[in-house]
Amino acid sequence: MSDIPDRAALVVHARDSIARGSRSFAMASKLFAPETRERAWLLYAWCRKCDDIADGQDHGGALSVVTDAQARLSDMRALTDRALRGEPTGDPAFDGFGLVMRECAIPARYAHDLIDGFALDAADWRPRTEDDLLRYCYHVAGAVGCMMAVLMGVDPADEATLDRACDLGLAFQLANIARDIGEDAAAGRCYLPVAWLADLDLTPATLMTPAARPRLGILGRRLASMAAQYEESARHGTGALPARSAWAVLAAAGIYGDIAR
């Protein structure tokens, strides 16, 4: 296997990845100081690649049917662990991830927590309660919020600020779930808790029927309200960040706040 590409090449790859995968976050990242911006791109590229591996996508887009979820998860874990050890992976998204984890001393447990979220999907897991939903949101987004906070200079021992960073990740994911109810249903997924559906006499099979639309609106508003609460909590943590990082985080929160409202 070839050596890890130099940092500049990894940054260019990551910059191109975020430009393709999320124009809104690409714009928000421009508010970071240059070094932080590059590091955020490197972390984003890994998150995006993991998501694409799990869902059979290329920088997002329509979900495809995945028949080898466990094999994909195993590949993701192996490449991530190799990157964390500082070994070349043959994939610039994973090589760049390993670089930023070392540069910022980000605890590896957060990367493992994110992959555990993909494992829930691979196991066709569904939340039964609101607590289950929030656990899933932590794994697939709250952990990334914690990684971003450390990347921006937060001490890994500063649990109060990391909790607020986690809250922002929860807000983003709740907004995503609200936005993607229809797309997820078409792919055979449902992230709405079973208990919520039962309260409204709904099931995943009936969720998108015309008769369910008024009740679907209730569920969407419930998700949006939760997202707004976690977003507001997250704003209280921005005072611990460098000014430009706080500005970028608030800009990103505004993007998703508009989705949730």
Side-chain angles (χ1 to χ4, degrees), residues 10-98:
L10 294 173
V11 168
V12 168
H13 172 271
R15 180 200 64 197
D16 293 346
S17 178
I18 196 171
R20 289 183 61 195
S22 178
R23 285 178 291 182
S24 56
F25 281 133
M27 290 296 294
S29 74
K30 293 181 179 180
L31 300 176
F32 284 126
E35 184 177 55
T36 304
R37 181 187 313 134
E38 292 179 355
R39 288 171 169 172
W41 291 344
L42 291 168
L43 182 59
Y44 172 89
W46 171 74
C47 295
R48 176 74 269 166
K49 188 59 179 282
C50 288
D51 202 37
D52 286 347
I53 290 172
D55 290 337
Q57 297 173 299
D58 181 11
H59 289 79
L63 293 172
S64 63
V65 176
V66 170
T67 59
D68 56 347
Q70 292 299 329
R72 288 169 177 268
L73 181 66
S74 294
D75 288 345
M76 189 191 309
R77 287 193 192 278
L79 288 168
T80 296
D81 287 343
R82 195 176 300 154
L84 287 170
R85 293 193 297 268
E87 299 172 3
T89 67
D91 188 310
F94 285 90
D95 288 338
F97 160 75

Side-chain angles (χ1 to χ4, degrees), residues 128-152:
R128 300 196 62 81
T129 65
E130 186 173 304
D131 284 347
D132 288 343
L133 170 63
L134 291 173
R135 177 168 71 94
Y136 176 77
C137 290
Y138 164 73
H139 280 293
V140 300
V144 178
C146 294
M147 296 169 80
M148 278 295 300
V150 177
L151 180 154
M152 289 184 277

Side-chain angles (χ1 to χ4, degrees), residues 30-232:
K30 293 181 179 180
L31 300 176
F32 284 126
E35 184 177 55
T36 304
R37 181 187 313 134
E38 292 179 355
R39 288 171 169 172
W41 291 344
L42 291 168
L43 182 59
Y44 172 89
W46 171 74
C47 295
R48 176 74 269 166
K49 188 59 179 282
C50 288
D51 202 37
D52 286 347
I53 290 172
D55 290 337
Q57 297 173 299
D58 181 11
H59 289 79
L63 293 172
S64 63
V65 176
V66 170
T67 59
D68 56 347
Q70 292 299 329
R72 288 169 177 268
L73 181 66
S74 294
D75 288 345
M76 189 191 309
R77 287 193 192 278
L79 288 168
T80 296
D81 287 343
R82 195 176 300 154
L84 287 170
R85 293 193 297 268
E87 299 172 3
T89 67
D91 188 310
F94 285 90
D95 288 338
F97 160 75
L99 176 65
V100 74
M101 292 292 282
R102 293 188 295 278
E103 286 185 354
C104 301
I106 299 172
R109 67 178 181 274
Y110 294 126
H112 295 142
D113 284 348
L114 175 61
I115 295 177
D116 286 345
F118 291 116
L120 292 173
D121 281 331
D124 203 28
W125 175 90
R126 298 292 181 266
R128 300 196 62 81
T129 65
E130 186 173 304
D131 284 347
D132 288 343
L133 170 63
L134 291 173
R135 177 168 71 94
Y136 176 77
C137 290
Y138 164 73
H139 280 293
V140 300
V144 178
C146 294
M147 296 169 80
M148 278 295 300
V150 177
L151 180 154
M152 289 184 277
V154 173
D155 188 326
D158 184 353
E159 294 185 6
T161 300
L162 292 176
D163 282 347
R164 301 291 73 75
C166 178
D167 286 344
L168 187 59
L170 298 181
F172 285 175
Q173 187 61 27
L174 289 165
N176 281 343
I177 292 171
R179 181 195 65 199
D180 295 339
I181 290 174
E183 180 183 343
D184 286 333
R189 295 180 176 180
C190 182
Y191 295 106
L192 299 168
V194 172
W196 288 15
L197 296 178
D199 287 344
L200 296 174
D201 195 25
L202 290 170
T203 68
T206 62
L207 186 60
M208 299 306 296
T209 61
R213 284 176 184 167
R215 288 168 287 173
L216 183 60
I218 292 170
L219 293 169
R221 289 191 293 274
R222 186 169 182 177
L223 285 169
S225 176
M226 288 177 65
Q229 291 173 27
Y230 280 104
E231 179 196 323
E232 181 59 30

